[in-house]
Amino acid sequence: MSFTLQIRRILAKRPAFQRLAYAFPFRLVLLDFKKNLLLIVFWLFFMAIITNSVATSYGVAYLFLGPEYYDKVSLLSYFIVGFSFGGFIMAYNISSYIKNAFRFPFLATLRNPFLKYCLNNAVFPLIFLITYSFLVFSFLKGEDIMSTWKIILMLFSFYSGLAFFLFLSFYYFFKVNKDIFKLHGVMTRDETLLKTKTHRSNGERNPHLIKESRDWYVETYFSTPTSIRLVRSVRHYKKEMLKDVLKQNYHAAFIFQIISIISLLGLGFFSKIDAFQIPAAASIFLLFTMFIMLFSSFYRWFRGWATVVFIIFLLAFNYLHKIKYLNTENHAYGLNYDMPKAEYSYDNFKIIDKQYSNLAKDFDATIAILNKWKAKNTSKSEPNKKPKMVFINVSGGGLRSSLWTLSTMQYIDSLMDGQLLSRIQLITGSSGGMVGAAYLRELYLQKQKQKITSYYGEQYQTNISKDILNPITFKIATSEWLFPMQSFIVDNHSYSEDRGSAFEQKLEENTHNVFNKRLNDYKEEEANSTIPMMVFSPSIVNDGRKLLISPQGISYLTMNPKSEKTTYDKLFDAVEYSRFFKEQGAKNTLFTSVLRMSATFPYITPIVSLPSEPRIEIMDAGLRDNYGLETSLRFIRAFNDWIAENTSGIVVIQIRDKHKNIPVDINPSQTLGQALARPMGSFYGHLFEIQDYNQNLQIQMADLWCKSQTDIIDLELRNELNDRISLSWHLTNKEKKKVLSSLDLPENKEAIKRLLKLLK
């Protein structure tokens, strides 16, 4: 006896179970698993996101559970996310309807067939909504920012946005869709119910429905959310009539898709307007809505060939980006890309390495800076007492590092009565940490120019920790995936508006435009030792070299020191940005572009292309030196003698976004997939720990050549594996509080106590 026959006999003995097994919603779920797996993958993806099962370290779940609009979680932010989710639901239903409706001829005989289809196709949306509602409630309770009733209001706002989009959508379909009565003057199935012989189920399947439904036999369906009806045979209708109804519905759905796609693309032209910088979760829903609609549009025309044609379209679309006027290459703003390209070659590095006149010039200029640093840090009452020289090393880590760096430096500086920033000679590091340090340095400069009265205010912590993701994800959803559709002008040079420009504009907005400067604008202030020097060190993707960026000449950080006892083939592992791209106007680069090059997080902000031949691309500084210690050691070695003669020692403050001594992986039993992925995954997953080990060795080796007493102070963020702060350009309220409370950790208190004693 076949398995299928056994199942049928079991169902025959249990008519109620048969009704459930052959219910329209259940059959649609099975159909999706068999024919529309891509749609299932999308639902699984979003379920994994909101349950924090994927991208856990990046806090993507919080973008959905606590969406922000105008920098706060509000009724409007949830309404917008609900509205966008409504778009995703409609895209899912339209795609499913276009691909599946022909398998169910009875639909054509119902009033509002598309509405009935959506009602019965609601299993996955309902599961998502129930899960989402529970998780939002738990999340907002944990954030401790609103009462239970207000949380309920937030959920109500989300459902209001969802209902509003569905209302608009179904209003359209009610207006344009036609059922069999409107098309052919035939009474609908509900109206002919009494005139048609029905099949009374006695455990056997309706033979007429079996013949009509091919492989997808259905017995019951939801006519309304609370009403279940039997499916009736359509054998007395002409097939052409049924086909006409479905064909007309397909056409209406296709028009809806085209209108939606054009509308989404059109939104990209308003990305600079604050009101259109919608929550990141809403933009993600829009992006997937666009993808589903595009694919189902292809299916509308090509049917069984849709997948193949869509793949060909993607391949062609991919190669179109190689065309000059269609590519999405990102630039550093202020840099001139119309000039002849700089030669990026090993032979050119050799020539630069032998330009000792540049080396002597840069060395002397920095000695002058050091002398001014010494003069301002030497006490008039104790002129013979040598000061300690302070170096700040900051780690990457998105907004968590920006806030952690800013708040830590503020706190220590306040304990030292405003003397910390005066003691600092050099700040190095990567990504978010450098953004936070640059912000405090600029505030310190404004304080000296009497533009502000203090740089300790909590408003500065609020500014640096504001969301930056919303405009970036909106760009991705509406225009970034296509071609650059807008541009802007800097110094008569045109640049495409993309994720990079969105990042810089939002950073300036959050910090009240304090970064509205060029790289060269800091040259004089650094040269006078009014503010500490900053050296940015993004990584060159092409070969892994460092690109060292500073308004000062810093060739001494790129050249190999002379070796007296060892002969070897030199490697050139660093390039000086200002000198290498001098002809392209490197010093006119917007300072926000410098910050972005040092903080280029893959896929979130675009990799920056520079005007060289061959073209080089720039990525996050953390790829080579996440903590900045390597650059600091190069500086100390270059000025080893001066530091030993003019200071009482060196203090290196490392402001880290994680503990140095991480717990050992427990290495539990693994699945086959985990075992295959572990070798590479473990290596790249511990990239920063490997850097720590290498830098630990560099510190030990420095003891052999460094002539000054060196003390390294570690200040570590509370960022445990089981309660990790998101590596993101978005932080929740709870995460911000955790960052600020990390100064109260016993090890940090002890480190600060030791630091104050050293700098007393």
Side-chain angles (χ1 to χ4, degrees):
M1 183 185 301
S2 69
F3 177 76
T4 304
L5 185 58
Q6 292 181 47
I7 294 297
R8 288 179 179 175
R9 289 193 174 184
I10 293 173
L11 294 177
K13 295 177 181 178
R14 300 179 181 178
F17 185 64
Q18 175 179 326
R19 291 284 169 81
L20 175 64
Y22 293 126
F24 195 25
F26 185 69
R27 302 300 278 172
L28 285 175
V29 169
L30 293 181
L31 183 58
D32 277 343
F33 275 103
K34 184 175 182 180
K35 301 286 187 179
N36 309 309
L37 196 57
L38 181 63
L39 298 178
I40 302 295
V41 170
F42 285 163
W43 283 112
L44 292 177
F45 170 77
F46 280 118
M47 284 294 291
I49 288 292
I50 64 172
T51 57
N52 214 14
S53 301
V54 299
T56 305
S57 300
Y58 306 112
V60 181
Y62 306 142
L63 302 178
F64 290 81
L65 303 180
E68 290 187 6
Y69 186 58
Y70 280 104
D71 299 313
K72 62 181 181 180
V73 177
S74 63
L75 292 172
L76 189 54
S77 67
Y78 279 100
F79 182 89
I80 294 171
V81 173
F83 188 84
S84 300
F85 180 61
F88 179 76
I89 288 179
M90 287 306 300
Y92 162 68
N93 280 321
I94 290 171
S95 178
S96 180
Y97 186 77
I98 289 175
K99 296 183 72 175
N100 300 328
F102 75 95
R103 306 177 195 277
F104 307 101
F106 75 92
L107 282 172
T109 68
L110 305 179
R111 283 192 180 276
N112 302 312
F114 179 68
L115 174 61
K116 296 289 196 304
Y117 186 91
C118 293
L119 181 63
N120 287 271
N121 198 38
V123 174
F124 290 114
L126 282 175
I127 292 173
F128 179 89
L129 287 170
I130 293 169
T131 307
Y132 180 76
S133 300
F134 173 78
L135 292 174
V136 167
F137 190 88
S138 301
F139 171 79
L140 292 178
K141 272 292 186 183
E143 286 287 289
D144 195 26
I145 56 176
M146 57 185 71
S147 65
T148 299
W149 282 110
K150 195 166 184 180
I151 294 174
I152 294 173
L153 276 177
M154 295 295 167
L155 285 170
F156 177 78
S157 183
F158 170 83
Y159 281 100
S160 297
L162 170 61
F164 184 56
F165 188 92
L166 295 181
F167 169 78
L168 294 177
S169 302
F170 286 123
Y171 180 79
Y172 164 82
F173 284 108
F174 288 154
K175 287 292 185 180
V176 301
N177 270 5
K178 294 183 173 64
D179 53 34
I180 200 167
F181 176 75
K182 292 178 181 178
L183 277 178
H184 298 287
V186 178
M187 288 186 295
T188 63
R189 170 52 52 206
D190 295 335
E191 292 165 329
T192 60
L193 196 57
L194 299 176
K195 299 182 180 181
T196 306
K197 294 182 179 179
T198 62
H199 175 73
R200 302 293 181 185
S201 177
N202 58 2
E204 296 294 329
R205 297 193 297 169
N206 187 326
H208 301 299
L209 294 181
I210 294 174
K211 184 178 180 180
E212 294 164 1
S213 61
R214 303 179 184 178
D215 298 329
W216 295 97
Y217 175 79
V218 175
E219 279 196 2
T220 59
Y221 69 96
F222 279 96
S223 178
T224 67
T226 58
S227 174
I228 300 177
R229 293 193 175 182
L230 289 173
V231 173
R232 306 296 173 174
S233 173
V234 296
R235 65 187 186 278
H236 57 291
Y237 289 111
K238 294 181 179 179
K239 290 183 179 181
E240 289 74 13
M241 291 183 179
L242 303 179
K243 289 181 179 179
D244 284 347
V245 173
L246 294 179
K247 185 177 180 180
Q248 193 277 333
N249 284 192
Y250 290 159
H251 181 71
F254 179 72
I255 296 298
F256 183 87
Q257 287 177 317
I258 297 301
I259 293 172
S260 300
I261 291 171
I262 294 174
S263 299
L264 289 175
L265 290 175
L267 286 175
F269 289 98
F270 303 98
S271 58
K272 280 191 174 182
I273 301 175
D274 289 346
F276 284 88
Q277 294 179 8
I278 61 176
S283 294
I284 295 172
F285 278 132
L286 289 180
L287 180 64
F288 279 80
T289 297
M290 178 80 75
F291 186 84
I292 292 176
M293 286 189 170
L294 280 174
F295 183 76
S296 57
S297 296
F298 273 82
Y299 186 84
R300 170 74 174 82
W301 292 104
F302 302 107
R303 295 293 177 181
W305 288 95
T307 302
V308 175
V309 173
F310 192 65
I311 292 173
I312 293 173
F313 167 78
L314 291 178
L315 292 173
F317 184 75
N318 174 55
Y319 281 98
L320 280 175
H321 279 70
K322 297 181 73 173
I323 299 174
K324 180 179 179 181
Y325 297 102
L326 297 178
N327 68 48
T328 54
E329 182 181 302
N330 179 266
H331 293 161
Y333 309 132
L335 203 58
N336 188 347
Y337 286 76
D338 298 324
M339 293 289 292
K341 304 296 188 286
E343 181 189 346
Y344 189 83
S345 67
Y346 189 75
D347 290 338
N348 198 26
F349 297 150
K350 284 184 176 180
I351 295 172
I352 294 173
D353 192 56
K354 293 179 180 179
Q355 292 176 345
Y356 298 113
S357 60
N358 288 334
L359 179 62
K361 178 182 176 182
D362 294 348
F363 186 85
D364 291 343
T366 305
I367 287 292
I369 295 174
L370 294 176
N371 287 328
K372 292 174 182 177
W373 173 90
K374 180 184 177 183
K376 74 174 183 179
N377 285 291
T378 300
S379 172
K380 292 181 179 180
S381 60
E382 298 178 281
N384 295 324
K385 183 179 180 181
K386 297 178 181 179
K388 292 273 189 182
M389 178 173 280
V390 177
F391 290 78
I392 298 288
N393 295 167
V394 298
S395 70
L399 281 189
R400 73 185 184 200
S401 289
S402 298
L403 178 58
W404 174 232
T405 298
L406 175 77
S407 59
T408 300
M409 292 179 68
Q410 279 180 323
Y411 179 69
I412 298 172
D413 190 75
S414 67
L415 294 178
M416 294 178 60
D417 297 323
Q419 293 303 304
L420 174 65
L421 285 159
S422 176
R423 291 285 190 94
I424 299 169
Q425 170 55 39
L426 179 67
I427 301 173
T428 60
S430 69
S431 193
M434 290 295 274
V435 174
Y439 185 41
L440 185 62
R441 186 181 74 152
E442 175 59 35
L443 294 173
Y444 175 65
L445 178 60
Q446 291 194 8
K447 171 69 165 56
Q448 293 183 80
K449 292 183 176 181
Q450 299 182 342
K451 292 183 178 180
I452 58 174
T453 58
S454 171
Y455 47 87
Y456 297 145
E458 291 183 4
Q459 70 267 29
Y460 302 123
Q461 297 174 4
T462 300
N463 291 343
I464 201 64
S465 60
K466 286 180 180 178
D467 174 89
I468 302 180
L469 269 185
N470 282 357
I472 294 175
T473 52
F474 185 72
K475 272 287 184 187
I476 295 173
T478 57
S479 60
E480 184 81 3
W481 60 273
L482 191 59
F483 300 114
M485 296 186 290
Q486 292 176 289
S487 62
F488 64 100
I489 304 295
V490 177
D491 297 338
N492 297 318
H493 304 302
S494 179
Y495 305 92
S496 298
E497 285 195 4
D498 55 15
R499 289 167 291 158
S501 61
F503 176 92
E504 294 187 28
Q505 290 161 13
K506 184 61 175 174
L507 178 61
E508 281 206 62
E509 178 187 323
N510 290 351
T511 55
H512 301 289
N513 296 315
V514 299
F515 290 135
N516 186 20
K517 292 187 172 185
R518 308 299 177 102
L519 175 62
N520 206 45
D521 289 339
Y522 286 108
K523 184 174 183 178
E524 183 178 350
E525 307 294 352
E526 287 188 6
N528 292 329
S529 196
T530 306
I531 55 175
M533 290 177 61
M534 290 190 77
V535 175
F536 297 86
S537 54
S539 307
I540 299 174
V541 175
N542 306 53
D543 51 25
R545 289 185 172 92
K546 281 185 176 184
L547 183 70
L548 297 179
I549 305 177
S550 169
Q552 312 301 326
I554 51 172
S555 57
Y556 48 80
L557 296 181
T558 67
M559 293 184 175
N560 287 290
K562 293 182 179 179
S563 178
E564 297 177 359
K565 300 177 182 178
T566 306
T567 58
Y568 65 103
D569 188 14
K570 294 181 179 180
L571 283 174
F572 304 98
D573 70 335
V575 177
E576 186 184 6
Y577 176 76
S578 295
R579 187 162 277 124
F580 194 82
F581 293 103
K582 181 180 180 180
E583 298 301 322
Q584 290 75 29
K587 292 187 178 181
N588 292 324
T589 307
L590 298 189
F591 191 67
T592 50
S593 289
V594 174
L595 292 172
R596 178 166 60 88
M597 282 192 279
S598 176
T600 301
F601 194 83
Y603 306 111
I604 301 302
T605 47
I607 290 176
V608 179
S609 297
L610 296 180
S612 62
E613 185 58 46
R615 183 189 68 192
I616 60 173
E617 295 182 318
I618 306 304
M619 197 170 161
D620 197 290
L623 192 65
R624 272 287 303 270
D625 187 9
N626 190 50
Y627 305 104
L629 180 63
E630 184 180 309
T631 304
S632 294
L633 290 176
R634 290 188 186 202
F635 187 94
I636 293 169
R637 179 152 190 167
F639 300 97
N640 199 9
D641 293 334
W642 189 96
I643 294 173
E645 183 179 345
N646 294 277
T647 74
S648 59
I650 298 167
V651 177
V652 179
I653 305 175
Q654 285 203 331
I655 304 176
R656 306 168 55 89
D657 73 327
K658 61 182 67 175
H659 287 282
K660 183 178 286 187
N661 295 310
I662 63 168
V664 180
D665 284 350
I666 57 176
N667 196 19
S669 299
Q670 302 169 359
T671 65
L672 177 60
Q674 290 171 331
L676 292 173
R678 185 169 178 79
M680 293 302 293
S682 295
F683 179 82
Y684 288 106
H686 294 295
L687 177 63
F688 299 143
E689 285 76 20
I690 293 171
Q691 287 187 17
D692 267 331
Y693 300 142
N694 291 334
Q695 291 183 358
N696 186 68
L697 178 60
Q698 290 180 34
I699 292 170
Q700 294 175 15
M701 298 299 292
D703 192 57
L704 301 176
W705 56 259
C706 186
K707 299 178 181 180
S708 304
Q709 172 66 35
T710 302
D711 294 280
I712 298 178
I713 307 293
D714 293 322
L715 295 166
E716 302 171 325
L717 181 63
R718 182 192 284 119
N719 190 18
E720 298 81 11
L721 287 173
N722 59 346
D723 189 21
R724 182 167 285 171
I725 302 171
S726 304
L727 174 57
S728 173
W729 293 111
H730 174 93
L731 292 178
T732 67
N733 185 63
K734 184 178 180 181
E735 288 175 325
K736 293 174 186 177
K737 289 181 179 178
K738 188 178 178 184
V739 170
L740 296 175
S741 67
S742 292
L743 282 168
D744 296 328
L745 290 176
E747 56 268 34
N748 285 337
K749 285 186 174 181
E750 187 61 34
I752 292 172
K753 184 178 178 181
R754 180 182 164 214
L755 173 64
L756 296 177
K757 186 177 180 180
L758 286 168
L759 298 180
K760 187 175 180 181

